[in-house]
């Protein structure tokens, strides 16, 4: 079953603008991760936020987590054309060891 | 550099002809995963190994099998590929020391085409 739902499904912005993507999930989690996938490539881990954290930064990335609303957001500031990719949130799922369940993803296009 | 390698990057097979995709890692990670990803969809976990312990997802078709002969290598066998099995297949690893906080490291994927 789908754990993470992301919106928007697609986002198109100009270079220099900020991009915000949202993820909602259904069950209690220990942590939430964000991954990036460039077209036709594997996923790259961006950031992990634990359930006892509300906000986390990594370079131009800012992630928030609201466990009461079961939602997270990923903000990319001062976007660049190289940020064009799909972005997925992922949550620990099921009882399988280290299993992640991925959201449907947001396709971000940054126009130069 | 430590990494996850998948071969081949592109694989074309015929309907019903068995195919094997391979994955190797130099990270010495305990856990290896195989995902199927169809166009514009989320990666879907097929199965994973923790060391030699195999964990199959309940909805993974019997057509998909896996082997992990040693820590470094893991194979995905598709016994009788159908047109619906055309997809990107992603291999990933994780260290397995903190199961709920495992960052996963992905290979570049193998794009499978079924004719």
């Amino acid at each position: 079953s789908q754990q993470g739902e992301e919106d928007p499904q697609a986002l198109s912005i100009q270079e220099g603008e900020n991009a915000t993507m949202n993820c909602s999930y259904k069950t209690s989690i220990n942590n939430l991760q964000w991954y990036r996938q460039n077209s036709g490539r594997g996923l790259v881990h961006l950031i992990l936020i634990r359930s006892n954290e509300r906000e986390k930064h990594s370079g131009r990335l800012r992630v928030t987590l609201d466990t009461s609303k079961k939602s997270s957001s990923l903000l990319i500031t001062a976007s660049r054309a190289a940020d064009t990719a799909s972005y997925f949130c992922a949550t620990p799922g099921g009882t399988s060891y280290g299993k992640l369940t991925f959201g449907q993803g947001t396709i971000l296009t940054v126009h130069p | 550099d430590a990494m996850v390698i998948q071969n081949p990057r592109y694989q074309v097979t015929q309907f019903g002809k068995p195919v094997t995709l391979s994955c190797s890692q130099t990270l010495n990670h305990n856990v290896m995963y195989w995902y199927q990803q169809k166009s514009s969809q989320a990666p879907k976990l097929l199965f994973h190994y923790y060391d030699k312990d195999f964990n199959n997802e309940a909805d993974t078709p019997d057509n998909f099998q896996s082997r992990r002969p040693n820590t470094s290598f893991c194979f995905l066998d598709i016994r009788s590929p159908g047109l619906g099995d055309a997809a990107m297949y992603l291999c990933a690893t994780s260290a397995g020391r903190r199961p709920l906080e495992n960052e996963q490291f992905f290979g570049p994927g193998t794009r499978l085409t079924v004719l």
Side-chain angles (χ1 to χ4, degrees):
Chain A
S1 63
Q2 191 67 38
Q3 169 72 318
E5 300 285 342
E6 295 184 61
D7 82 276
Q9 290 187 330
L11 181 60
S12 182
I13 60 174
Q14 295 295 125
E15 214 166 26
E17 294 180 339
N18 295 341
T20 299
M21 290 157 268
N22 303 296
C23 169
S24 60
Y25 57 92
K26 294 176 183 157
T27 60
S28 296
I29 58 171
N30 174 272
N31 67 82
L32 185 143
Q33 302 180 38
W34 285 90
Y35 287 79
R36 182 188 75 227
Q37 184 178 33
N38 290 88
S39 180
R41 305 288 295 182
L43 283 74
V44 175
H45 181 265
L46 295 175
I47 197 165
L48 180 151
I49 186 165
R50 296 183 177 87
S51 58
N52 62 353
E53 297 175 311
R54 291 295 167 258
E55 188 171 308
K56 199 163 182 180
H57 297 253
S58 177
R60 293 184 295 112
L61 305 181
R62 180 172 78 98
V63 169
T64 63
L65 180 64
D66 187 335
T67 53
S68 66
K69 296 181 180 177
K70 292 187 169 60
S71 68
S72 175
S73 67
L74 170 66
L75 167 67
I76 304 174
T77 60
S79 63
R80 305 166 181 167
D83 295 327
T84 294
S86 293
Y87 292 82
F88 294 91
C89 65
T91 53
T95 57
S96 296
Y97 197 93
K99 172 180 174 178
L100 288 176
T101 302
F102 287 87
Q104 286 297 102
T106 294
I107 301 171
L108 173 66
T109 303
V110 182
H111 300 280
Chain B
D1 287 341
M3 58 176 62
V4 182
I5 302 159
Q6 289 188 246
N7 285 306
R9 293 293 314 281
Y10 301 91
Q11 176 73 57
V12 180
T13 191
Q14 291 180 331
F15 183 94
K17 184 175 181 181
V19 65
T20 295
L21 309 182
S22 73
C23 176
S24 64
Q25 54 129 341
T26 61
L27 298 159
N28 202 33
H29 281 171
N30 297 106
V31 193
M32 294 188 77
Y33 310 81
W34 279 105
Y35 290 89
Q36 179 192 64
Q37 186 180 28
K38 296 189 176 180
S39 182
S40 300
Q41 294 185 18
K44 179 180 177 299
L45 183 65
L46 296 173
F47 26 59
H48 72 276
Y49 279 92
Y50 179 68
D51 289 334
K52 285 195 173 292
D53 291 335
F54 177 70
N55 297 272
N56 197 33
E57 292 301 297
D59 57 355
T60 298
D62 292 340
N63 198 26
F64 292 85
Q65 305 284 319
S66 185
R67 296 169 283 137
R68 187 178 187 186
N70 53 52
T71 300
S72 301
F73 286 87
C74 195
F75 299 97
L76 170 61
D77 300 309
I78 308 176
R79 293 192 295 187
S80 182
L83 298 179
D85 296 328
M88 175 76 88
Y89 289 88
L90 297 166
C91 175
T93 71
S94 68
R97 283 188 293 273
R98 294 177 297 167
L100 294 181
E101 294 189 1
N102 282 327
E103 170 187 352
Q104 293 191 12
F105 295 79
F106 283 80
T110 294
R111 171 77 63 189
L112 178 68
T113 300
V114 182
L115 301 177

